[in-house]
Amino acid sequence: MTDRLYIETTIPSFYHTLRTDPESVARMHWTRQWWAECAPQSELFTSPAVILELQQGSSEKTAERLALVAGLEMLEINDDVDRIVGIYIQRRVMPNDPGGDALHLAVASYYRMDVLLTWNCRHLANPNKMGHIRAVNRELGLPTPLVTTPLNYVGGDDNNG
């Protein structure tokens, strides 16, 4: 069975990052490796929120970032998604930014994505938040996607101990 993945803004951002610090360069390499090796085996989705965030960026790489997600299926942001965003914020699952992390999680949950792929490890791919996210989604009758980074797909060699 093919996984359905929601591509959040940080994925195209790190794919085409201009940052040169070692962590950012590593994330760029892992993102590109994931895109080459894993993306073709999955159904990829994004939302207008990702497009808007990328368009608001001031990088010379904005066009390349938009092009990376241009062919992905677009998931609509509707009243149900907006309602879920409000609940996430009210229940303090996500920061009080209706157009940010709460929106990405709501879209991925509402459309029953298997995975929300992100480099946002503070608010999204944070194991300390997952119990609370699962509890709220369970109350809403929603599944909780696996929230993870490209590194969890491509990183590390299990033979190193």
Side-chain angles (χ1 to χ4, degrees):
M1 186 160 105
T2 303
D3 279 344
R4 295 166 29 97
L5 282 89
Y6 177 81
I7 302 298
E8 183 263 348
T9 312
T10 58
I11 300 303
S13 293
F14 271 104
Y15 189 100
H16 288 293
T17 190
L18 294 173
R19 296 178 187 173
T20 58
D21 62 280
E23 183 179 343
S24 295
V25 171
R27 286 182 177 193
M28 178 189 67
H29 288 299
W30 291 322
T31 302
R32 289 178 177 193
Q33 182 181 357
W34 178 88
W35 203 272
E37 296 174 6
C38 302
Q41 303 167 29
S42 304
E43 290 181 67
L44 304 181
F45 300 82
T46 197
S47 72
V50 170
I51 303 304
L52 183 61
E53 285 179 327
L54 291 173
Q55 288 172 336
Q56 291 174 342
S58 59
S59 169
E60 62 197 54
K61 293 286 189 176
T62 298
E64 289 94 334
R65 292 172 181 164
L66 287 165
L68 188 65
V69 297
L72 305 186
E73 186 169 337
M74 199 65 53
L75 300 173
E76 178 185 345
I77 298 169
N78 58 30
D79 291 342
D80 290 332
V81 170
D82 287 337
R83 181 182 58 80
I84 296 164
V85 168
I87 292 168
Y88 286 162
I89 292 170
Q90 175 189 16
R91 299 284 303 277
R92 299 178 191 250
V93 172
M94 289 287 125
N96 188 7
D97 177 7
D101 301 331
L103 181 55
H104 295 301
L105 180 61
V107 169
S109 297
Y110 178 78
Y111 285 101
R112 302 182 178 283
M113 295 289 108
D114 298 307
V115 176
L116 189 168
L117 197 68
T118 183
W119 279 112
N120 180 337
C121 298
R122 182 170 185 198
H123 297 124
L124 292 170
N126 182 339
N128 295 320
K129 292 180 138 300
M130 290 314 300
H132 193 194
I133 291 169
R134 277 193 293 276
V136 171
N137 274 4
R138 193 170 29 253
E139 289 175 23
L140 296 173
L142 295 171
T144 301
L146 172 66
V147 184
T148 192
T149 70
L151 179 59
N152 289 323
Y153 285 89
V154 301
D157 180 357
D158 290 341
N159 297 325
N160 288 337

